[in-house]
Amino acid sequence: GEWLALTLRTAGALQLTIRPYLFDGCASATLPRVRMNGVEVTRGAPVVFKRERLGFNARLKGAYETPLHWALQWHTYVLLCCRSMVSAEAVRAIYLPVGNPETQWLYGATQQGYSLRFELPASLLEEHLVFCSVYDRASFPLLPSLQVERPSHTLPPCGEDGFWATRIVRKDGTATRPEVLPSVRVTLERPSRTALH
């Protein structure tokens, strides 16, 4: 196979993070092998990332949720409900302290029975991937990693109060520019009574 060489200068430990995204019908991909100083650090059989592995998110809520999670995360929902009273920088620093700098993020609170509706230009979807996850108030996924694939896209209703995070990444792997954010409109919608019957 072909190798890509990168020269890194570091004064301490080095951590490599790979963020694979599967799109355009791709259900799996082999993660790259990595060599450092000529020594392969990814020994053994190739690692294959599969879309079906994301299913673990759906099992987290019931399997691992404890009162401790609620105690540690109680502030998130309140913070996002009251964001008009706190600076945008403070909200981001608290809600998303270590986000990928190449990804652009949108986030907010949601309420039980409401759906998130996305309106965005088709041209943005040609070059970017848009994913949204909805979490309960203890930060467990209710609707994990749903891809927004149409210019007008409505997610299923939320089963309980919580919050959402949308990440926007470029398909070519380069950094997503902050200028894309104003073109993405996210609103909360309650289903009409006629739609419930």
Side-chain angles (χ1 to χ4, degrees):
E2 191 175 315
W3 290 91
L4 172 67
L6 299 172
T7 302
L8 303 172
R9 299 192 193 289
T10 178
L14 180 67
Q15 177 180 337
L16 175 68
T17 302
I18 298 173
R19 292 182 172 93
Y21 289 96
L22 303 175
F23 59 96
D24 289 344
C26 181
S28 67
T30 303
L31 298 182
R33 295 181 358 233
V34 177
R35 288 192 300 210
M36 290 183 161
N37 297 326
V39 178
E40 188 167 345
V41 295
T42 52
R43 295 183 185 97
V47 176
V48 178
F49 179 76
K50 297 179 181 179
R51 184 179 305 275
E52 63 202 38
R53 286 190 178 170
L54 294 174
F56 80 92
N57 283 298
R59 297 186 298 273
L60 290 176
K61 182 170 172 55
Y64 298 101
E65 191 172 15
T66 68
L68 177 62
H69 292 101
W70 287 87
L72 292 173
Q73 295 296 326
W74 71 270
H75 68 281
T76 306
Y77 179 74
V78 175
L79 174 73
L80 294 173
C81 284
C82 301
R83 24 189 328 184
S84 63
M85 296 182 239
V86 183
S87 73
E89 294 80 17
V91 171
R92 182 179 170 95
I94 294 167
Y95 181 69
L96 195 65
V98 190
N100 178 359
E102 296 176 347
T103 301
Q104 293 299 318
W105 295 84
L106 295 167
Y107 37 83
T110 187
Q111 296 176 350
Q112 181 178 5
Y114 283 77
S115 297
L116 289 167
R117 179 171 178 79
F118 290 82
E119 298 287 340
L120 56 157
S123 58
L124 186 135
L125 293 172
E126 291 172 10
E127 296 181 351
H128 297 82
L129 300 170
V130 179
F131 294 95
C132 182
S133 293
V134 179
Y135 304 93
D136 69 12
R137 291 178 71 169
S139 291
F140 282 98
L142 297 170
L143 300 171
S145 209
L146 299 175
Q147 186 171 355
V148 176
E149 299 178 288
R150 298 178 304 280
S152 181
H153 191 117
T154 303
L155 299 184
C158 299
E160 55 188 276
D161 291 350
F163 45 92
W164 57 274
T166 295
R167 61 192 189 282
I168 304 169
V169 296
R170 287 190 55 87
K171 290 181 178 180
D172 64 9
T174 60
T176 303
R177 301 185 54 81
E179 292 79 13
V180 303
L181 294 177
S183 67
V184 180
R185 184 168 180 246
V186 184
T187 56
L188 277 177
E189 292 190 350
R190 185 172 191 105
S192 67
R193 289 194 172 273
T194 56
L196 297 175
H197 296 299

